Amino acid sequence: APCESGDLPVAVIGAGPVGLAAAAHLAARDQRAVVLEAGPRPGTSVREWSHVRLFSPWELCLDPVAREMLEEAGWDAPPAGELPTGEELVARYLEPLADLPALRSRIRYGHRVTGVTRVGRDRLKGASRSERGAAPFVVRYESGGTGGRLLARAVIDASGTWTRPRPLGANGLPARGEREASDRVHYGLPDVLGAARDRYTGKRIAVGGGGHSAANVLLDLVRLKGEEPDTEPLWVLRGGPPGNVFRDEEDAEDELEARGELERRLRGLVEEGPVRMVTEFGTRAVRPRGEGITLEDGTGRSLEVDRAVGVTGFRPDLEMLRELRLGPDPATGAPRDLGPLIDPNVHSCGTVPPHGEEELRHPEPGFYILGMKAYGRAPTFLL
């Protein structure tokens, strides 16, 4: 039935740090909002890397409006300079925030968004922004085995990228045999000192990826090796030594002290021997070998390992947005005006300049992607 968009809520997709911050801003402005979260609790993706300690301190992780709402409810802020783990981020911030009366009634857990479009309009229909903007959004979701829909006057997608890790394959596609080896290849940040310990103890493990997340996995594997000497971590890189770790000492000062320390620790472990680095190795094939696998790079080189961990970044799931008019940067997939500001070929997460609504805008009026997903494939997002 026809309706006025102004009577409808803003739909927020995702109840992680960014989605809940968006909901807090909307609540503070007396704007109607509904948060659709696929998981059963806030911070579903964060819980999967709960063992990891951030290198950004609490003072950089708290949204100011969310913090003000929490403090009004009697919440005590964590020490500003402490570095939270993912578990602490959830327990000390996201759960109390989601439980505030102003937000609690707005969040619908177990609602997985499957599509976003306009009432009566697909991606093609509507010659102008004003014409498309006159039609409300339709947000389709699945919940409890059934489907439903929500009409909204605007949509904020803060669903993140955690569920879409990039493959080991050097060209962006899964290497031959990679999918078939799914029981021996893990993606993301496994808890090798905790829940996933048995999977890696005493094993030869290839860690693919040149960023700080790969550094975290390698440092944990070295700790595991200290307890279980037969554990052997290999650092497998598509190119040469990554510049963020192997910078000249005079260039290695870091605005975030913990990030600089992470780099120094990993550099020392490579130089001293606990971590063997394999460079210029672009994985083209993954082949079973007994209970392990062999990685091949297509040039005749191969690595025989027991397990592999892909920490090669993430990519946004845009399938549910296919009927909206997006304006992606051709390289990163971020909004076109944001792409050059976050290009990992030029920037790290410490050099990205401030940006806001104008850079985050898409051709679809009233639609925004926020948080990690807004950066597309670029790994330069800093909470």
Side-chain angles (χ1 to χ4, degrees), residues 206-230:
V207 177
H212 295 95
S213 293
N216 269 304
V217 175
L218 288 161
L219 291 173
D220 282 351
L221 285 172
V222 170
R223 286 183 60 191
L224 181 61
K225 180 178 177 64
E227 301 168 11
E228 302 287 349
D230 290 339

Side-chain angles (χ1 to χ4, degrees), residues 135-192:
F137 287 96
V138 180
V139 182
R140 289 188 177 178
Y141 59 83
E142 293 178 352
S143 178
T146 62
R149 72 172 196 161
L150 172 74
L151 297 183
R153 65 181 180 85
V155 175
I156 294 172
D157 183 352
S159 59
T161 59
W162 180 258
T163 60
R164 292 290 299 272
R166 294 176 64 187
L168 285 174
N171 57 8
L173 300 176
R176 294 189 304 276
E178 181 173 347
R179 288 188 175 130
E180 291 75 10
S182 59
D183 61 328
R184 306 169 204 187
V185 179
H186 184 92
Y187 304 92
L189 292 155
D191 186 3
V192 303

Side-chain angles (χ1 to χ4, degrees), residues 97-261:
L97 180 60
D99 199 43
L100 290 175
L103 268 64
R104 185 171 61 231
S105 61
R106 299 166 180 249
I107 305 173
R108 300 180 184 176
Y109 296 110
H111 283 59
R112 181 178 298 279
V113 173
T114 58
V116 184
T117 186
R118 296 271 189 181
V119 171
R121 287 169 170 76
D122 61 11
R123 183 173 175 173
L124 182 63
K125 186 174 177 59
S128 66
R129 283 178 60 89
S130 60
E131 184 180 349
R132 288 189 65 81
F137 287 96
V138 180
V139 182
R140 289 188 177 178
Y141 59 83
E142 293 178 352
S143 178
T146 62
R149 72 172 196 161
L150 172 74
L151 297 183
R153 65 181 180 85
V155 175
I156 294 172
D157 183 352
S159 59
T161 59
W162 180 258
T163 60
R164 292 290 299 272
R166 294 176 64 187
L168 285 174
N171 57 8
L173 300 176
R176 294 189 304 276
E178 181 173 347
R179 288 188 175 130
E180 291 75 10
S182 59
D183 61 328
R184 306 169 204 187
V185 179
H186 184 92
Y187 304 92
L189 292 155
D191 186 3
V192 303
L193 295 172
R197 185 186 183 97
D198 290 346
R199 182 184 177 93
Y200 299 101
T201 295
K203 301 291 196 302
R204 194 172 197 233
I205 305 119
V207 177
H212 295 95
S213 293
N216 269 304
V217 175
L218 288 161
L219 291 173
D220 282 351
L221 285 172
V222 170
R223 286 183 60 191
L224 181 61
K225 180 178 177 64
E227 301 168 11
E228 302 287 349
D230 290 339
T231 305
E232 183 182 356
L234 303 179
W235 190 10
V236 181
L237 297 159
R238 298 174 183 175
N244 62 344
V245 175
F246 292 89
R247 293 181 284 183
D248 293 334
E249 197 65 36
E250 60 267 22
D251 296 330
E253 292 299 321
D254 197 297
E255 182 181 358
L256 295 172
E257 182 179 348
R259 180 172 56 191
E261 178 60 23

Side-chain angles (χ1 to χ4, degrees), residues 296-375:
E296 300 176 354
D297 76 346
T299 68
R301 290 199 302 168
S302 63
L303 292 172
E304 294 185 351
V305 298
D306 298 299
R307 298 287 184 268
V309 181
V311 202
T312 52
F314 299 84
R315 56 181 58 160
D317 180 4
L318 300 179
E319 176 63 21
M320 67 181 181
L321 309 176
R322 63 184 177 185
E323 295 305 330
L324 298 180
R325 293 183 178 179
L326 307 182
D329 171 71
T332 63
R336 190 173 298 275
D337 289 342
L338 180 61
L341 305 181
I342 63 174
D343 185 345
N345 295 300
V346 179
H347 292 285
S348 74
C349 52
T351 65
V352 170
H355 48 273
E357 185 274 339
E358 186 173 344
E359 291 84 2
L360 291 168
R361 186 181 302 167
H362 285 275
E364 191 69 60
F367 173 78
Y368 294 91
I369 302 176
L370 300 186
M372 185 69 182
K373 189 171 181 176
Y375 277 41

